[in-house]
Amino acid sequence: MTATVASKLLPTYARQNVTFVEGDGSWLVDASGARYLDLFAGIAVVALGHRHPAPLAAAQAQLERLWHVSNLYSTEPMQELSVKLSDRFGGASAFFCNSGAEANEAAIKWARKATGRTEIVALDGSFHGRTLGALSVTGQPAKRAAFEPLVPGAKFGLGQVSEQTAAILLEPVQGEGGVHPLTPEFLSEARALADGHGALLILDEVQTGVGRSGSFFAWQELGVKPDAVTLAKGLANGLPVGALLVSDDAPVGFEPGDHGSTFGGNPVACAAACAVVDAIDDALLAHVKELSALFVDALSARGLGLLLAFDTERPAGDVIAAAFSRGLVIGSAGPNTIRLTPPLTLSLDEATHALSILKEVL
Ligand SMILES: *Cc1c(COP(=O)(O)O)cnc(C)c1O
């Protein structure tokens, strides 16, 4: 628990007094050399564990070849990633950016352009990112209040869907909002409302996507296909990348000049992402479901796949600190909610070890 290097950072985070210096599979090492089992994975980002050999080798090889060209040109990793994601989706075209918020910004612009409408219907309790557009459709007043006025046209609740609606934007599992999965019935209702009003259905799979739900996309678990999805967190195992995938069945919307990103589709990030997508196979998805059942049973947790949470009487911060002092990193999703987003590659032994620490702490 030693902060060894002075810092000059704006105080946007209430940071813990620890500096991590190394990651190794499901483990983190701090500046004093202490090891921690990581059931947080950088908020569902390090999906294959720290320094997984496949994305590591892919990123290293790409670092030796080409770091960047303008998006006015093509690169192989970006092209390959778009095809791999299209195959997983069942036919879709990609726009690449660098984060979840940017992916949702792209989705909002796409929906406006494709429909000629301006309203986006999201849900109370939702989280779609911190940029002004993404914050506008985030249904958490506390995160918004200091930054009003936001982008007009945001509505909350399916009851707001109308002929003005460009898109319904939903997280299959509300992550930051407390880990609340949508039911298949709710999602079907959203699909029917979108179809009935000529609106698009966009799923924000920034946290649920890339295997975390037990399927590649959470919508596959819930049985309702969207017109578009956004991805980011787990896509490149820790390198920054985000994506908007637009279904081949939905309008293309964008024309050249409508949207862009200097760094979007970065070759190194996309090379790592290709390796991540290849690693999400049936065996790993079965492992996600097995681990999920283990945690759900042992902790009476809710969620989907390895996006899990449970409520505690004690403040989540106290539970997190007690676990940390025993060498276990966990997260929160609200003042009395513990969130677990371990690497999908967490072993059964590691899961058992984590559960024994949690039992002690709780
Ligand atoms: C984390 C998250 C975002 C924002 O992603 P950033 O990369 O932090 O911009 C958006 N939507 C969901 C569902 C998220 O979990």
Side-chain angles (χ1 to χ4, degrees):
M1 289 276 252
T2 40
T4 51
V5 189
S7 64
K8 289 279 294 171
L9 299 166
L10 281 172
T12 54
Y13 283 87
R15 284 198 172 80
Q16 304 295 309
N17 184 26
V18 59
T19 302
F20 289 118
V21 296
E22 203 178 302
D24 176 19
S26 305
W27 296 83
L28 282 167
V29 182
D30 76 10
S32 74
R35 286 170 65 82
Y36 302 84
L37 183 55
D38 183 9
L39 262 62
F40 198 37
I43 318 188
V45 167
V46 190
L48 302 182
H50 299 278
R51 289 189 293 129
H52 186 282
L56 176 62
Q60 271 174 346
Q62 188 58 42
L63 272 171
E64 300 290 342
R65 286 189 83 196
L66 178 67
W67 285 27
H68 175 83
V69 294
S70 161
N71 267 309
L72 293 168
Y73 310 96
S74 291
T75 60
E76 288 170 352
M78 180 168 66
Q79 291 171 316
E80 280 167 27
L81 182 58
S82 72
V83 171
K84 286 179 194 297
L85 292 173
S86 174
D87 289 347
R88 294 298 183 125
F89 187 87
S93 297
F95 170 83
F96 291 120
C97 51
N98 312 285
S99 69
E102 277 180 66
N104 287 326
E105 295 289 337
I108 293 166
K109 283 180 72 175
W110 166 74
R112 284 188 172 198
K113 187 81 201 291
T115 61
R117 305 174 179 180
T118 53
E119 291 187 4
I120 305 289
V121 173
L123 294 184
D124 288 320
S126 64
F127 181 82
H128 298 292
R130 303 290 194 154
T131 53
L132 288 171
L135 187 59
S136 304
V137 291
T138 287
Q140 299 191 41
K143 291 193 167 67
R144 305 160 53 101
F147 306 101
E148 306 273 359
L150 294 169
V151 178
K155 307 271 163 173
F156 295 94
L158 290 188
Q160 301 284 339
V161 177
S162 74
E163 307 303 312
Q164 269 66 257
T165 307
I168 303 172
L169 174 63
L170 306 171
E171 295 161 272
V173 181
Q174 286 193 345
E176 305 304 307
V179 186
H180 299 291
L182 298 185
T183 61
E185 295 71 33
F186 187 92
L187 202 51
S188 303
E189 190 191 333
R191 177 76 270 178
L193 276 169
D195 292 343
H197 291 86
L200 298 160
L201 177 64
I202 304 169
L203 293 183
D204 177 347
E205 295 229 26
V206 167
Q207 192 157 169
T208 57
V210 199
R212 184 152 296 276
S213 70
S215 290
F216 191 87
F217 298 103
W219 65 258
Q220 295 167 310
E221 288 287 307
L222 296 167
V224 174
K225 193 171 184 181
D227 298 302
V229 296
T230 52
L231 297 174
K233 288 192 165 84
L235 185 52
N237 211 44
L239 289 182
V241 67
L244 165 67
L245 299 183
V246 173
S247 171
D248 290 346
D249 300 328
V252 174
F254 285 144
E255 298 166 82
D258 278 341
H259 199 48
S261 164
T262 297
F263 288 121
N266 171 268
V268 179
C270 286
C274 284
V276 170
V277 173
D278 287 346
I280 311 289
D281 58 14
D282 289 346
L284 184 59
L285 293 172
H287 180 69
V288 168
K289 291 192 171 178
E290 185 183 359
L291 280 186
S292 178
L294 185 75
F295 282 116
V296 167
D297 283 356
L299 299 164
S300 305
R302 63 176 178 270
L304 189 64
L306 288 177
L307 172 51
L308 297 167
F310 56 91
D311 297 327
T312 60
E313 310 248 299
R314 283 149 69 196
D318 292 359
V319 176
I320 290 171
F324 194 84
S325 70
R326 289 168 172 80
L328 181 69
V329 178
I330 54 177
S332 66
N336 292 89
T337 302
I338 297 298
R339 175 167 39 163
L340 304 180
T341 51
L344 311 183
T345 50
L346 189 79
S347 73
L348 285 178
D349 280 353
E350 288 165 344
T352 307
H353 179 59
L355 282 171
S356 73
I357 296 176
L358 280 172
K359 286 271 153 74
E360 243 178 79
V361 167
L362 296 168

